[in-house]
Amino acid sequence: ARAMRDFLINTFGFREENIIFTENAKLSDMRRIFGDQSDYRGQLYSYMSTAEKSDVFVFYSGHGAPDVNSGAGTAYLVPSDSD
């Protein structure tokens, strides 16, 4: 994840202050960044412009899990503090 952050800054010219970088993201971090079911306006939402189109690049290096019960092919990001 650090290498990707550095690549985006040094190669593509992303501004460091526009990158939300969190290591070992806990559930509380994910909710802070992405929001949750009751309020989708997390930190990422506040970075986007409502006046014009916003480009968003999300790089996630971690674990994920499929929803094996619904059969809908839904997948989830798994926070570091999950059980």
Side-chain angles (χ1 to χ4, degrees), residues 67 70-75:
D67 179 356
S70 73
T74 304

Side-chain angles (χ1 to χ4, degrees), residues 5-71:
R5 177 193 60 196
D6 295 343
F7 181 72
L8 292 172
I9 293 167
N10 298 323
T11 304
F12 286 110
F14 279 51
R15 292 187 311 219
E16 189 169 358
E17 63 271 13
N18 286 346
I19 295 175
I20 302 169
F21 181 79
T22 305
E23 292 181 295
N24 300 313
K26 298 176 184 152
L27 179 58
S28 59
D29 295 317
M30 291 184 163
R31 286 181 172 159
R32 174 182 51 81
I33 295 167
F34 296 109
D36 60 25
Q37 291 175 332
S38 65
D39 186 4
Y40 60 88
R41 293 172 293 208
Q43 184 180 7
L44 180 60
Y45 180 86
S46 70
Y47 277 42
M48 297 186 295
S49 170
T50 56
E52 57 188 63
K53 181 180 172 183
S54 294
D55 292 324
V56 175
F57 177 85
V58 175
F59 177 82
Y60 176 77
S61 176
H63 293 281
D67 179 356
V68 295
N69 296 320
S70 73

